[in-house]
Amino acid sequence: MNIYTQVCGLVIIALLLFFYKKQPTMGLSSERKFKITLFVILACVILDIASCYFIVYSRKYQEYIVIAICKLYLISLHTVAFSALGYSVSDLFEFFGSAHEKFLGLCYQVFCIIGVIVTVYLPLHYYYDGQTLYTYGPAAIATYIFVAIYILSIILAAMALRKHLKEKKVYALCLWMTIWSISAIIQFLNPKLLIVSFASCIGVLVMYFELENPQSSLSRRTGHFSSAVIHEYLDYLYQTKQNFSAMRISFQTTGESADENKLLRQTIEMLSDFLFSVDTAKIFDTAEGHFLLIFENTDFLESTKYQISTYFQAVENNSDVGDAITLLRPFYTIIPDCTISDNADELMMLLANYIPSNKGNSSNNEVIVTAETMKNVRRQKDVEKLVVEAMENDRIEVHYQPIFNIATNTFSSAEALVRIKLIDGSYLQPNEFIPVAELTGRIIPLSDAIYRRTLSFIKSYHIERIGIQHIELNLSVKQGESPTFTTKILQMLEDYQIDPELINLEITETSSLRSKERLHENMKKLEEHGLCFSLDDFGSGSSNLNYIIDMPVSIVKLDKLLSDEYFKDNDKAIAIVNAVIEMAHSIGLKIVAEGIETQDQFDAMKTLGVDFIQGFYFSKPLPEHEFLKFIQDNNLKYMYQ
Ligand code: C2E
Ligand code: CA
Ligand code: CA
């Protein structure tokens, strides 16, 4: 009996099934369809062997039994082809799930049933001469034709949909189908070589190693699912419209980098071992030193988190000194309802946004991400996109707000304030995008654009000739602490041939000591080149007088909040304003009152001895030409008042 190839095929499939069943899988539809294909091929190979047996011992059995077994084998070939097609496009059906695809799927099912009926009804013969054996006749030919159509469909589907399929899958499918076609042609031309079912076994072997080998979806480091498959799994959950929860466990750093790596490794190892006992979630090792837990049943989130934090406590509180272990503290980013985001990309972005910062001293060890958070993150992304587009399309504008000098009775300076011009001609105000730009790091390129625009304006219109002694530019904390800031700004001044004395940079307080030190270094260097500084927004928050003394500023800008409180007769505000003015003047600093809107406010500030006034009382921030006109008109008027 020439069944060597079939037996080999049987061994291959049995081994594949053994390994496949042993490994953890994620429950993706492609995995399920692959498993079905494996079983169908197993049945096909068994029926192939059975048909050989019945043909060889046909004398012992009635003719119709032998033919029935042979036809069952042919039917199994239809099924193999059908399930192979199902596997090929499995990702797509769920992804699109549209009526179109469902209709196409139905057509193929009908086609498969027709194929089976045709095979059942058409006559089939078999041949055995004591050595070689094979089946032939219309049923066999019809099966070949039907299977050929399937193979062609799979190749065409893989090629046509290759944008939506993984490149590897297209390649592996084409390889499988080619092996199958060649073997079918060989068997058709030489019916004695029974290699078709063996070829399908080789085909799935290729698929297994290329795509479905669950080992490749596991992290080598921890043995949990690897970051490579998170996306695929999340895609699957979103496509099947399931509600699920996510919890990321990251670690709060200690700030001492020498110990940190060792501690991190130790923590990951311990937690990883423990997580194998958690069976309520799929666990992913994200390769960045975090674990991501996905709960298909959202009810388990709370209890699992409790279980994990209890574990951490137990390790930390171990009273047995010999066994005491220090671990990094866990930080939980929890998304109870993942349908707040639309797809896997957005969810990953959401998680990435919530990596704990300033971890060492944070007492809070979790953040719960809700629909509200999602709304904010989306808005942030939209704003970020707007900023990037505006930078690319040169729609960043700078408006200038005149600052009145009480001593000279003229507008002797102005503050440069950025605006983004929208497509409809309206302006996006800085409060809507500066905080986002700060958060996302876009503030640096954005500020570069603002500075260049302002310097170009100063250069083009020689604003010093109309009485402007300096332009105040806002300096963000990120810019100020950047080690390249000094050289960058000096280079810009050089590029535009601007006298550094025409520039004043407005700094704000920073809470971080390190950042303050770096800013201080930069300020010192720039001061040597003739630039001067203002302390912005004094009195808006935690402003303290020490900052004025510590930092080399020459102007203090009283925030609108503080002056508003002052005008409301708030005793504390009155005391602060008086103290600041007195102290600033005693050390030779000047004072700007910001946000002055009325004549009364102006008079009050003037009486107080403030040096400069900025506010809507005189003018809003104005576009370049309006600003030039305003200064020309008013400086002449005030100069001769
Ligand atoms: P800021 O530096 O305190 O700027 C003063 C803000 O007060 C400006 O708002 C100005 O239009 C507004 N203002 C001036 N006078 C009055 C008044 O009399 N009444 C009222 N209600 N408001 C007045 P703007 O232009 O919307 O800027 C808001 C903030 O955005 C700025 O506050 C500054 O922190 C930031 N910003 C603006 N331009 C830039 C920039 O080029 N770079 C950076 N890093 N930040 C900027
Ligand atoms: Ca300012
Ligand atoms: Ca201000």
PDB file of all heavy atoms in Angstrom, residues 415 474 506 508 535-538 557-560 594 614, ligand 3:
ATOM      1  N   GLU A 415       4.829  93.441  23.956  1.00  0.00           N
ATOM      2  CA  GLU A 415       4.991  92.003  24.179  1.00  0.00           C
ATOM      3  C   GLU A 415       4.547  91.257  22.922  1.00  0.00           C
ATOM      4  O   GLU A 415       3.492  91.543  22.359  1.00  0.00           O
ATOM      5  CB  GLU A 415       4.154  91.537  25.380  1.00  0.00           C
ATOM      6  CG  GLU A 415       4.255  90.027  25.588  1.00  0.00           C
ATOM      7  CD  GLU A 415       3.597  89.528  26.877  1.00  0.00           C
ATOM      8  OE1 GLU A 415       3.036  90.340  27.634  1.00  0.00           O
ATOM      9  OE2 GLU A 415       3.670  88.303  27.108  1.00  0.00           O
ATOM     10  N   ASN A 474       7.980  85.723  25.138  1.00  0.00           N
ATOM     11  CA  ASN A 474       7.724  84.739  26.196  1.00  0.00           C
ATOM     12  C   ASN A 474       8.670  83.558  26.049  1.00  0.00           C
ATOM     13  O   ASN A 474       8.898  83.060  24.949  1.00  0.00           O
ATOM     14  CB  ASN A 474       6.284  84.252  26.121  1.00  0.00           C
ATOM     15  CG  ASN A 474       5.319  85.305  26.620  1.00  0.00           C
ATOM     16  OD1 ASN A 474       5.206  85.545  27.817  1.00  0.00           O
ATOM     17  ND2 ASN A 474       4.670  85.986  25.681  1.00  0.00           N
ATOM     18  N   GLU A 506      10.690  86.982  28.700  1.00  0.00           N
ATOM     19  CA  GLU A 506       9.830  86.867  29.883  1.00  0.00           C
ATOM     20  C   GLU A 506       9.888  85.449  30.413  1.00  0.00           C
ATOM     21  O   GLU A 506       9.478  84.508  29.740  1.00  0.00           O
ATOM     22  CB  GLU A 506       8.390  87.210  29.511  1.00  0.00           C
ATOM     23  CG  GLU A 506       8.218  88.661  29.112  1.00  0.00           C
ATOM     24  CD  GLU A 506       6.749  89.054  28.974  1.00  0.00           C
ATOM     25  OE1 GLU A 506       5.874  88.182  29.138  1.00  0.00           O
ATOM     26  OE2 GLU A 506       6.498  90.230  28.697  1.00  0.00           O
ATOM     27  N   THR A 508       8.985  82.584  33.501  1.00  0.00           N
ATOM     28  CA  THR A 508       8.014  82.334  34.570  1.00  0.00           C
ATOM     29  C   THR A 508       8.688  81.430  35.590  1.00  0.00           C
ATOM     30  O   THR A 508       9.699  80.809  35.295  1.00  0.00           O
ATOM     31  CB  THR A 508       6.744  81.643  34.030  1.00  0.00           C
ATOM     32  OG1 THR A 508       7.144  80.639  33.132  1.00  0.00           O
ATOM     33  CG2 THR A 508       5.829  82.615  33.357  1.00  0.00           C
ATOM     34  N   LEU A 535      10.362  88.989  34.860  1.00  0.00           N
ATOM     35  CA  LEU A 535       9.696  87.879  35.546  1.00  0.00           C
ATOM     36  C   LEU A 535       8.204  88.058  35.308  1.00  0.00           C
ATOM     37  O   LEU A 535       7.595  89.026  35.760  1.00  0.00           O
ATOM     38  CB  LEU A 535      10.012  87.895  37.049  1.00  0.00           C
ATOM     39  CG  LEU A 535       9.311  86.786  37.835  1.00  0.00           C
ATOM     40  CD1 LEU A 535       9.791  85.412  37.390  1.00  0.00           C
ATOM     41  CD2 LEU A 535       9.531  86.965  39.326  1.00  0.00           C
ATOM     42  N   ASP A 536       7.625  87.100  34.545  1.00  0.00           N
ATOM     43  CA  ASP A 536       6.235  87.212  34.100  1.00  0.00           C
ATOM     44  C   ASP A 536       5.281  86.678  35.162  1.00  0.00           C
ATOM     45  O   ASP A 536       5.671  85.874  36.016  1.00  0.00           O
ATOM     46  CB  ASP A 536       6.088  86.382  32.804  1.00  0.00           C
ATOM     47  CG  ASP A 536       4.882  86.801  31.990  1.00  0.00           C
ATOM     48  OD1 ASP A 536       4.168  87.730  32.409  1.00  0.00           O
ATOM     49  OD2 ASP A 536       4.666  86.199  30.916  1.00  0.00           O
ATOM     50  N   ASP A 537       4.045  87.104  35.073  1.00  0.00           N
ATOM     51  CA  ASP A 537       2.942  86.537  35.870  1.00  0.00           C
ATOM     52  C   ASP A 537       3.213  86.547  37.368  1.00  0.00           C
ATOM     53  O   ASP A 537       2.798  85.622  38.074  1.00  0.00           O
ATOM     54  CB  ASP A 537       2.645  85.092  35.422  1.00  0.00           C
ATOM     55  CG  ASP A 537       2.275  85.025  33.951  1.00  0.00           C
ATOM     56  OD1 ASP A 537       1.885  86.070  33.398  1.00  0.00           O
ATOM     57  OD2 ASP A 537       2.399  83.934  33.361  1.00  0.00           O
ATOM     58  N   PHE A 538       3.870  87.559  37.858  1.00  0.00           N
ATOM     59  CA  PHE A 538       4.134  87.593  39.290  1.00  0.00           C
ATOM     60  C   PHE A 538       2.806  87.776  40.030  1.00  0.00           C
ATOM     61  O   PHE A 538       2.022  88.662  39.723  1.00  0.00           O
ATOM     62  CB  PHE A 538       5.120  88.709  39.667  1.00  0.00           C
ATOM     63  CG  PHE A 538       5.517  88.632  41.109  1.00  0.00           C
ATOM     64  CD1 PHE A 538       6.566  87.829  41.510  1.00  0.00           C
ATOM     65  CD2 PHE A 538       4.794  89.320  42.085  1.00  0.00           C
ATOM     66  CE1 PHE A 538       6.896  87.713  42.853  1.00  0.00           C
ATOM     67  CE2 PHE A 538       5.116  89.207  43.420  1.00  0.00           C
ATOM     68  CZ  PHE A 538       6.173  88.402  43.802  1.00  0.00           C
ATOM     69  N   LYS A 557       6.696  91.622  36.153  1.00  0.00           N
ATOM     70  CA  LYS A 557       5.371  91.890  35.586  1.00  0.00           C
ATOM     71  C   LYS A 557       4.299  91.405  36.553  1.00  0.00           C
ATOM     72  O   LYS A 557       4.209  90.213  36.850  1.00  0.00           O
ATOM     73  CB  LYS A 557       5.218  91.187  34.235  1.00  0.00           C
ATOM     74  CG  LYS A 557       6.204  91.697  33.183  1.00  0.00           C
ATOM     75  CD  LYS A 557       5.903  91.148  31.804  1.00  0.00           C
ATOM     76  CE  LYS A 557       4.827  91.932  31.100  1.00  0.00           C
ATOM     77  NZ  LYS A 557       4.720  91.582  29.676  1.00  0.00           N
ATOM     78  N   LEU A 558       3.512  92.367  37.078  1.00  0.00           N
ATOM     79  CA  LEU A 558       2.451  91.989  38.023  1.00  0.00           C
ATOM     80  C   LEU A 558       1.307  91.372  37.239  1.00  0.00           C
ATOM     81  O   LEU A 558       0.784  91.974  36.297  1.00  0.00           O
ATOM     82  CB  LEU A 558       1.936  93.226  38.760  1.00  0.00           C
ATOM     83  CG  LEU A 558       2.934  93.986  39.633  1.00  0.00           C
ATOM     84  CD1 LEU A 558       2.203  95.116  40.366  1.00  0.00           C
ATOM     85  CD2 LEU A 558       3.585  93.043  40.650  1.00  0.00           C
ATOM     86  N   ASP A 559       0.920  90.188  37.625  1.00  0.00           N
ATOM     87  CA  ASP A 559      -0.123  89.496  36.892  1.00  0.00           C
ATOM     88  C   ASP A 559      -1.482  90.165  37.063  1.00  0.00           C
ATOM     89  O   ASP A 559      -1.764  90.784  38.093  1.00  0.00           O
ATOM     90  CB  ASP A 559      -0.195  88.043  37.376  1.00  0.00           C
ATOM     91  CG  ASP A 559      -1.037  87.208  36.452  1.00  0.00           C
ATOM     92  OD1 ASP A 559      -0.530  86.885  35.363  1.00  0.00           O
ATOM     93  OD2 ASP A 559      -2.201  86.913  36.786  1.00  0.00           O
ATOM     94  N   LYS A 560      -2.316  89.982  36.057  1.00  0.00           N
ATOM     95  CA  LYS A 560      -3.660  90.567  36.094  1.00  0.00           C
ATOM     96  C   LYS A 560      -4.445  90.086  37.320  1.00  0.00           C
ATOM     97  O   LYS A 560      -5.182  90.858  37.920  1.00  0.00           O
ATOM     98  CB  LYS A 560      -4.404  90.187  34.808  1.00  0.00           C
ATOM     99  CG  LYS A 560      -5.801  90.744  34.714  1.00  0.00           C
ATOM    100  CD  LYS A 560      -6.367  90.574  33.328  1.00  0.00           C
ATOM    101  CE  LYS A 560      -7.851  90.843  33.221  1.00  0.00           C
ATOM    102  NZ  LYS A 560      -8.426  91.851  34.055  1.00  0.00           N
ATOM    103  N   GLU A 594       0.176  94.369  34.409  1.00  0.00           N
ATOM    104  CA  GLU A 594      -0.476  93.734  33.253  1.00  0.00           C
ATOM    105  C   GLU A 594      -1.982  93.777  33.415  1.00  0.00           C
ATOM    106  O   GLU A 594      -2.489  93.839  34.539  1.00  0.00           O
ATOM    107  CB  GLU A 594      -0.078  92.256  33.196  1.00  0.00           C
ATOM    108  CG  GLU A 594       1.280  91.978  32.605  1.00  0.00           C
ATOM    109  CD  GLU A 594       1.421  90.491  32.317  1.00  0.00           C
ATOM    110  OE1 GLU A 594       1.460  89.691  33.269  1.00  0.00           O
ATOM    111  OE2 GLU A 594       1.494  90.136  31.139  1.00  0.00           O
ATOM    112  N   GLN A 614       0.516  97.732  30.779  1.00  0.00           N
ATOM    113  CA  GLN A 614       0.145  96.928  29.617  1.00  0.00           C
ATOM    114  C   GLN A 614      -1.295  96.488  29.810  1.00  0.00           C
ATOM    115  O   GLN A 614      -1.661  96.031  30.891  1.00  0.00           O
ATOM    116  CB  GLN A 614       1.064  95.688  29.543  1.00  0.00           C
ATOM    117  CG  GLN A 614       0.740  94.731  28.402  1.00  0.00           C
ATOM    118  CD  GLN A 614       1.656  93.500  28.410  1.00  0.00           C
ATOM    119  OE1 GLN A 614       2.586  93.409  29.227  1.00  0.00           O
ATOM    120  NE2 GLN A 614       1.402  92.568  27.513  1.00  0.00           N
TER     121      GLN A 614
HETATM  122 CA    CA B   3       1.859  87.729  32.015  1.00  0.00          CA
END
